[in-house]
Each structure stands twice: as structure tokens, then as C-alpha cells.
Amino acid sequence: MLETALTSGFTSVGMDVFLLGPIPTPAVGMLTRSMRAELGVMITASHNNYEDNGIKFFGHDGFKLSDTVEQEIELLISKEVKLKTSNLIGRVKRIDEVLGRYIEFVKTSVPRNLRLNGLKVVIDCANGSAYKCAPQVLWELGAKVIPFAVEPNGYNINLNCGSTNTKEAAKLVRKHKADIGIAFDGDFDRCFFFDEFGVFVPGEYIVGLLAESFLLKEPGSKIIHDARVVWNIQDIVKNNNGFSIASVTGHAFIKKSMRENNAIYGGEMSAHHYFRDFSYCDSGMIPWLLIVELMGKTGKKLSELIKDRKEKFPSSGEINFTISQPKKIFEKVLKYFDGQYLS
């Protein structure tokens, strides 16, 4: 319904529309740029259930539109829209082969000779847009794939599966004695990891591993990270001759900081990972390609890669509190730190 409504709206004002889905959100950004389109649109519930569907917009450069631009669009919608006459309305075309273009593009993030022969991988595709391309990439690289939640029907996205319901993925890792488990959110722009014991790996350790992966290839590079759990990341970047830069949390801030600093990689502990060579967009596929590459290079399992890091920089994960007087609490915190940088 949303696709039909959007298509009708765009063509009614003279825009041509290419229908590409279902594909991952990062693919929309990449294809908007490569196909020289003026706008990219992703209809997605992300990590939510189907009834909480939404829309993400990309500009011609493949970047998500800023909040300011989206507000300007809302203002335009509230005004009278001038429709085209029947001879000037846009045309619609469905293109089916775009997923292959996206797959080949993200595979360039790892060496051409990378093979995953013998690697047993559990993937939870959340009954979302990863259902086809994630198993295909792993199969092409030679891995033994144990897929879960790969039968989307429009209603079962994120239903007892995916990034917000990871119990089944962890259970499958243990049942099949897999080397690694990966769970995606519905629109495949995030991925979550489980070691060979089915134990969830917190995002701050994954950001550290990805930073190390890039710095081994390009020493001296800049790494952007959010300013929540920073010690492990900063230590890894320093030890690998890189430069770490803390940023305000959120994709708009991370991407802005990456562009300003020409950073090769940016990561958030929430499992959003951004890549300079991917137009600073996030991806749910590139991170696990880099992680399995690092496992192959070092000969270590995922639990072994993070063992020393967890011992040196233990993390409780996020602990949330409900407070009755937030304004007073913030005033006390600011007064206590007296203008110092809060990490």
C-alpha cells in the first residue's frame, strides 16, 4: 500500500520511478547514487513490527536526508501541490537485478581471494530484507549457512526473530556448533554477533575489532566512535597507530564527523557501522565480512578475538533508570563535572 501510494504521488508530479525491492536500506543509498537518481526511498519498519512501518529518504548523493531537509519537505506537502497533466506524468519501471549489483559492491570491502570454506555460520535474517542476499553472499564465499527467519510474508518481520529477539539465533549457534552467529534487523542496516558459544558480543567490542581491521590495512587512519563506551575503542586505535575521535551519538552526527575528518570508519555500540568507501553509509553486511576476514587472518575464533579486550575493559552494557526530576539531575551532573568533557 505504501509503495503504491508513494509511486502514485511521485508520478503525479512528473517523476519517473524505479521499483527495486525488497532490498536492504543501505542498497537504496548506494543505488540512488549509482543510478543517478534525484531521490531514494526505503519503506521499512527497521527493527519494529510490520504495523510500525516507516519511510527513509536518501538524497542524490546516497546520503540520508537531514532533519532540516525532511522538515522542509513536510512544509511543502502541507501546501497545494501542482499535479502534471496526463501526458506529463512520470513512468514506472521495476528493476529486478539490482540486488546483485549491491552484493558485488559490498564484497569489494574484503580481499577478492577471501574464502569461508569450512566456516559454519548461523544467520537470523529477521524475515526482512536480508533474507535473500545474506545467505547468497555466504554461499558464494564458501561458508556453510544455517539460515533462520528467511521466509518474509509482509507480516512476520522481526516477529520472534532478528536484532530485538536474538534467543533463537543464540540457540541455533549452540545446537549446530557454529563458528559464529549473526542477527540482522528488518532492513539489514545493522548486524549483531554471537561467538561460537552462542554468547552475544556487545557492540563496543565489535567497533574495536572493526577499527583494528581498518587500521591494519591503512595505518594512521581516523576512526569515529560514539561517546558512550569508549575506552576499549580508544585503546585499540592508539595501539594500532590510528586517531580516535568521539562524536555525538546518531547517524547524522557520526557521518558529519566522518566527512569533516576524512575518517575511514565510524561505529556506534548500537550496531550501526559507517564506511567512508560506502559513501559514509551504514551497512549490515560489510561488518560481518570484515569480522570473518579478521578471524581468518588471525586464526582466532570470535570469543578469542575479544577475550583480552573484555578482561581489560569489562562492560556492563547500558543500564537505564527512570527518574522523576530529570532537569535537576542533569543540573547536578553538569555542576559536578564543571564543564569537563563527559565521555
Side-chain angles (χ1 to χ4, degrees), residues 16 31 77 162 194 198 204 216 299 320 327 335:
D16 293 330
L31 292 164
I77 292 173
F194 302 85
E204 54 266 32
L216 288 173
N320 297 310
K327 187 176 180 180
K335 184 178 179 180

Side-chain angles (χ1 to χ4, degrees), residues 262-309:
N262 190 33
I264 192 170
Y265 162 68
E268 296 181 90
M269 57 181 289
S270 59
H272 279 291
H273 303 280
Y274 309 88
F275 305 93
R276 183 188 63 196
D277 296 337
F278 193 45
S279 295
Y280 301 103
C281 288
D282 46 358
S283 169
M285 191 178 320
I286 294 174
W288 57 263
L289 284 171
L290 294 171
I291 292 295
V292 295
E293 179 196 9
L294 193 61
M295 289 169 62
K297 277 183 177 179
T298 60
K300 294 182 178 180
K301 296 182 179 295
L302 184 52
S303 66
E304 296 170 336
L305 285 174
I306 64 170
K307 182 177 183 294
D308 292 342
R309 310 312 306 177

Side-chain angles (χ1 to χ4, degrees), residues 207-247:
V207 174
L209 290 179
L210 292 173
E212 181 180 1
S213 173
F214 278 107
L215 291 170
L216 288 173
K217 299 171 184 176
E218 296 191 30
S221 294
K222 295 175 182 177
I223 304 295
I224 307 295
H225 57 84
D226 61 346
R228 285 181 283 183
V229 184
V230 301
W231 300 282
N232 172 64
I233 299 161
Q234 290 175 342
D235 185 67
I236 286 178
V237 173
K238 181 181 178 181
N239 292 339
N240 285 276
N241 302 311
F243 299 91
S244 63
I245 302 169
S247 166

